[in-house]
Amino acid sequence: MFPTQHIGGKLLFYKTKNSKYISQGEIASALPPNPEDFLSMATKSLILPCVLLLTLLHLVLGHGAVNSGQYPLVVSTWPFLEAVRAAWSAVDSGFSAVDSVVEGCSACEELRCDGTVGPGGSPDENGETTIDALIMDGVTMEVGAVAAMRYVKDGIRAARLVMQHTKHTLLVGEQASVFAISMGLPGPTNLSSSESMAKWSKWKENHCQPNFWKNVLPDNSCSPYHPRDSLDLTEGTCSKAKLMETIESRSSLVGPHNHDTISMAVIDKMGHIAVGTSTNGATFKIPGRVGDGPITGSSAYADDEIGACGATGDGDIMMRFLPCYQVVESMRLGMEPKLAAKDAISRIARKFPDFVGAVFAINKNGVHAGACHGWTFQYSVRSPEMDDVEVFTVLP
C-alpha cells in the first residue's frame, strides 16, 4: 500500500509512485458512484497499476489506513530538554521537519545550552565567540550552513536562510554575518558575555594553556607562535614521544562543557526527515577554526529514504571521517541503527584511540540508538508514545 499522510488522526492524502500526494477528494471524483461500477471499470482498465487499484479499493470500501504512531519523532544530542520540547511542539502542530529543527536548535541557542551553543560561550584565543550551524533537508538533500560567523547570534536561522535564498551550501566568517543581517536577522551583536570573557581572562593568566597549537614555540606561553626549528624533526625518539604527548593531550581539550554541539534530527508527520546543528565551537580555538558543526555528513546527515544521524565531540578529528554520512550509508546497506553507530565510532577510535565523541542514529521507521568513545553520552528523544522527553544514556 502507498504511504499515507495523517493530520490529527485523520487520513488526508495518499502518496503515488511519483511521490505526489493526492487527496481523498481527488480520488473520489475520478471514481464511479458505487463500488460495483468501480470494480467493473478497474478490471477492464489496463492503465491503473495493480497496487494503486488495491489502494483505491481499500478506500472505496471504507477501510481507513492505520497510523503506526512512530511519527513525529525528535532526537537530540545531550539532555537539551527544552530544545527537544520546542521542536516537538512545532512538529506535533504540523510543522515540517526542517521548520521543527530550526525551532529546536534556536531554542538551544537562546538558552545557551551548556554554554557551548549560541552566543556568550567558547571564546577563541582572542576572546571572541563565533557561531557554526547547519541544516539539511533529507527530502531534497539541500543544505545551508554558516561557519565562524561573527556578530550574529541566530546560527540555525542564518543557516536556513543560506538554504532558502542561495544556491550555495556554506558561508563563512564576516561575510556570513553580512549576509545574515542583510536577510533580516538581528545584528551586528557582540557575541561575548561576562562569563566568556572571565573564562578567557583566566586562561590568559594560565599562560594560554591548554591550547590547540603543536610543534611551535613558545611551548607554554601565549602567542606569537613560530614553527619549531627543523632540527627538532631529527630528534628521533624524542620527537615521537612529543608527538604522542600531543595526541594524548587532546582529551583534556574536549568535554561536554568546552566543546559541544546540539545536533538534532526530526521526522515529521509525513515521515520526512531533517537535521540541524548549532555550536560556538571549541573553547580557546585558534581564530578562524571551523569544526564539524557546519560540515555535511560529519555533525549531521539525513536521507529521507534511510534515516538520519547526529554527532558531537572532537570535531577536528570527527570531520576527517564523516561519521554521520557513514552511519546513514551503513543503514542503507542494512545495518540496524545500533550497529551503524558503533561502526562509525569504532572507525575513528582505531586511528585515534584517545578521541572523544559520540553519534546517535535513527532509521526511517523511528528506531534510534547511540554510540560513543571517551565519555558517557546522553541523547534525548520525544515520540508519540512518550509523555515528555526521555534521556537515553550510552556507555563508551
Side-chain angles (χ1 to χ4, degrees), residues 71-76 83-84 86-88 90-92 95-105 136 138 263-269 271-276 302 304 308 360 362 382:
Y71 306 144
L73 180 72
V74 180
V75 183
S76 170
V84 174
W88 175 260
V91 74
D92 195 44
F95 281 48
S96 70
V98 169
D99 289 337
S100 301
V101 166
V102 171
E103 292 303 310
C105 289
M136 181 175 188
S263 185
M264 176 178 284
V266 173
I267 305 179
D268 64 24
K269 289 185 175 182
H272 296 326
I273 305 174
V275 291
D304 229 36
F360 69 75
I362 59 171
R382 180 70 162 91

Side-chain angles (χ1 to χ4, degrees), residues 77 136 263 275 277 292 295-303 307-312 318 321-331 340 344-345 348 358-361:
T77 52
M136 181 175 188
S263 185
V275 291
T277 68
D292 69 330
I295 305 302
T296 311
S298 186
S299 66
Y301 196 74
D303 186 327
C309 168
T312 182
M318 298 180 77
F321 294 84
L322 297 180
C324 277
Y325 178 78
Q326 181 65 55
V327 165
V328 173
E329 289 307 298
S330 292
M331 291 193 295
I345 289 295
I348 306 173
V359 299
F360 69 75

